[in-house]
């Protein structure tokens, strides 16, 4: 009889178990300036954000550009809000969003406050369940007096919009932390920034650890 042999049974992969099921890494996004996207010999994947992501097991998406800020569009002619809209807002909802900057916003603190509050309001409207952390201006050396006014304006905006504010201003980062330009961090400086960020996030329960 034709076809009288046993019917082959397809071999199916076993169902995933808790031991074999892939673990989803927390999706974290960050928007910022040259401290965040890298500068000089330090590339984006070596920045403090990338180093923190590796330690905390994040899937990191980085946005922004050198010379930009909440108000200052820099040479690329886009602010943090533009970077958020163009690079991040259309992506899947993240577990955590970090907005880091203010170093380039040498302008009236009131303008910085308005811009920061506007951006954070857009984020909250777009991603109401996403935890938001704001990192104030970073100075590897001694910060100018105006930076403190900008820092305070950003902190107020963060508080008004329900975001966690982290303040790196006025900290001593130690020898060998600044590049020859006197502004940007060396790889070692980024490592120290990463250590500070990880510690600060853990203190606030905002690390989104995998």
């Amino acid at each position: 009889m034709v076809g009288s042999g046993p019917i082959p049974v397809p071999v199916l992969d076993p169902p995933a178990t808790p031991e074999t099921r892939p673990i989803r890494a927390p999706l974290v996004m960050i928007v910022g300036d040259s401290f965040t996207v890298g500068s000089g010999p330090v590339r984006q994947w070596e920045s403090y954000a990338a180093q923190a992501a590796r330690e905390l097991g994040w899937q990191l998406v980085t946005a922004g550009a050198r010379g930009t800020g909440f108000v200052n569009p820099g040479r690329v002619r886009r602010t943090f809000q533009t970077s958020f809209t163009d690079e991040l807002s259309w992506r899947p909802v993240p577990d955590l969003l970090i907005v880091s900057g203010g170093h380039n916003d040498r302008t009236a603190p009131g303008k910085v406050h308005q811009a920061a509050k506007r951006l954070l309001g857009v984020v909250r409207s777009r991603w109401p369940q996403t935890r938001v952390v704001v990192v104030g201006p970073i100075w590897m050396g001694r910060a100018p007096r105006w930076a403190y006014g900008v820092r305070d304006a950003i902190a107020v905006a963060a508080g008004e919009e329900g975001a966690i504010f982290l303040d790196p201003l006025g900290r001593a980062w130690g020898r060998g932390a600044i590049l020859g330009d006197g502004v940007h961090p060396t790889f070692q400086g980024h490592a120290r920034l990463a250590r500070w960020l990880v510690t600060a996030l853990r203190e606030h329960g905002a690390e989104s650890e995998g």
Side-chain angles (χ1 to χ4, degrees):
M1 178 183 293
V2 177
S4 60
I7 300 174
V9 178
V11 178
L12 302 177
D13 292 332
T17 66
E19 291 75 24
T20 62
R21 187 178 296 116
I23 298 175
R24 176 186 175 276
L27 176 58
V28 178
M29 299 182 186
I30 185 168
V31 58
D33 51 28
S34 56
F35 287 82
T36 299
V37 303
S39 59
V42 180
R43 307 305 181 194
Q44 182 173 301
W45 56 89
E46 300 173 324
S47 72
Y48 74 92
Q51 293 188 47
R54 281 192 285 273
E55 179 167 345
L56 293 173
W58 295 343
Q59 178 183 181
L60 182 67
V61 178
T62 302
R66 301 175 184 179
T68 61
F70 291 97
V71 177
N72 189 349
R75 294 182 179 179
V76 296
R77 299 186 179 277
R78 54 188 167 95
T79 62
F80 286 169
Q81 183 162 339
T82 310
S83 291
F84 169 77
T85 300
D86 292 350
E87 299 185 66
L88 300 180
S89 66
W90 49 271
R91 297 178 186 272
V93 180
D95 299 287
L96 172 67
L97 172 72
I98 302 174
V99 181
S100 178
H103 185 104
N104 299 308
D105 286 317
R106 186 172 184 173
T107 187
K111 291 184 178 180
V112 179
H113 170 265
Q114 291 174 2
K117 184 175 174 64
R118 184 167 56 249
L119 168 58
L120 296 174
V122 169
V123 171
R124 186 158 55 94
S125 176
R126 180 81 176 179
W127 295 329
Q129 302 304 316
T130 295
R131 179 169 289 185
V132 180
V133 170
V134 179
V135 178
I138 299 172
W139 247 269
M140 303 309 293
R142 184 175 181 179
R145 184 176 299 178
W146 64 264
Y148 289 89
V150 169
R151 184 270 314 271
D152 294 344
I154 297 170
V156 170
E160 291 172 343
E161 294 299 324
I164 295 171
F165 180 75
L166 304 180
D167 181 18
L169 206 59
R171 291 179 172 271
W173 303 104
R175 296 180 62 181
I178 310 176
L179 289 173
D181 62 8
V183 176
H184 297 98
T186 60
F187 181 83
Q188 188 175 33
H190 276 279
R192 293 171 188 170
L193 278 166
R195 170 48 40 200
W196 166 80
L197 178 61
V198 168
T199 300
L201 289 171
R202 284 176 170 162
E203 288 175 350
H204 286 81
E207 67 272 29
S208 288
E209 207 162 3

